[in-house]
Amino acid sequence: MTRLEAPVLTVEADAVRVETRLLAGEIECPDCGSVLAPWGWARRRVLRDATTVVRLRPWRARCSGCGGSHVLLPVFVLVRRVDLADVIGAALVAKASGRGARSIAVGLGRPVDTVRGWLRRFERRAEYVRVYFTVLLVETGVDPIPPAVAATPFAAAVSAVVGAWRSALSRWPDVGKVSPWQTAAAVSRGRLLSPTWP
């Protein structure tokens, strides 16, 4: 497995809480359920929020059971993306509502090619995303309501992501502390726009 393909575990945004939980042995390996322990740091990242720069150096943890290592990415980060999940999510919502890549790029202050890349990647995976998040919506909701029929597969996938977030919110009110796109990042282990997930 190459460095770029390192297994990722999505954790909360609060770096101090993540460190406290990691040092206390309270984070489980997603592969085998054993305890993860600190194992250094992943590479430093400079990420972009809507208007600011976010500097990040995620923990790397090693499993005491299976020996696997995991990069602990905060819930607001997608793998191999410079822009935060909410910025990319805003672009996806805009596209689902009928806007084009150029106007989305101008609105977000991002290069058109970058925005087109997000939209194309999501569009290629739209049916898979729609099915995955619709199942999640039904399985997590107290009284789940499937998303309404959408005009395009792209819009249906976006609607399923937001619907799954609302469904999870009905069961676990603390989910409201994170956005639909942070929830999608967590569910996909940061790989929402990756060719293979989960």
Side-chain angles (χ1 to χ4, degrees):
M1 187 172 284
T2 67
R3 185 174 175 187
L4 290 175
E5 297 168 340
V8 171
L9 177 61
T10 306
V11 293
E12 60 262 52
D14 183 344
V16 173
R17 180 156 162 68
V18 171
E19 181 176 11
T20 301
R21 289 180 56 224
L22 185 61
L23 294 172
E26 295 175 355
I27 300 179
E28 289 184 3
C29 175
D31 298 329
C32 74
S34 295
V35 174
L36 291 178
W39 196 50
W41 301 92
R43 69 177 176 80
R44 292 183 190 276
R45 292 167 168 85
V46 178
L47 306 170
R48 294 183 299 207
D49 197 353
T51 57
T52 61
V53 170
V54 176
R55 297 183 191 287
L56 175 69
R57 189 170 186 204
W59 276 99
R60 185 179 286 276
R62 189 169 189 112
C63 177
S64 60
C66 67
S69 71
H70 300 275
V71 174
L72 306 183
L73 279 186
V75 71
F76 53 81
V77 178
L78 292 174
V79 172
R80 292 206 242 175
R81 301 292 163 183
V82 172
D83 292 281
L84 301 188
D86 285 334
V87 174
I88 294 170
L92 300 177
V93 168
K95 171 69 175 177
S97 63
R99 289 180 56 201
R102 282 193 188 283
S103 70
I104 295 169
V106 168
L108 293 175
R110 299 298 187 267
V112 171
D113 288 341
T114 299
V115 172
R116 276 198 188 113
W118 302 338
L119 302 179
R120 286 179 181 151
R121 179 58 64 92
F122 191 81
E123 190 162 28
R124 274 187 238 128
R125 311 264 303 143
E127 180 59 14
Y128 181 80
V129 170
R130 183 195 66 78
V131 169
Y132 189 89
F133 281 92
T134 300
V135 169
L136 184 65
L137 179 157
V138 171
E139 289 179 349
T140 59
V142 173
D143 190 15
I145 300 170
V149 176
T152 64
F154 190 104
V158 168
S159 182
V161 169
V162 174
W165 172 77
R166 285 190 180 122
S167 187
L169 184 59
S170 73
R171 183 172 297 250
W172 302 288
D174 284 347
V175 168
K177 294 178 182 176
V178 296
S179 72
W181 299 102
Q182 291 174 358
T183 302
V187 167
S188 67
R189 289 190 186 179
R191 297 184 186 276
L192 182 67
L193 297 184
S194 297
T196 57
W197 69 269

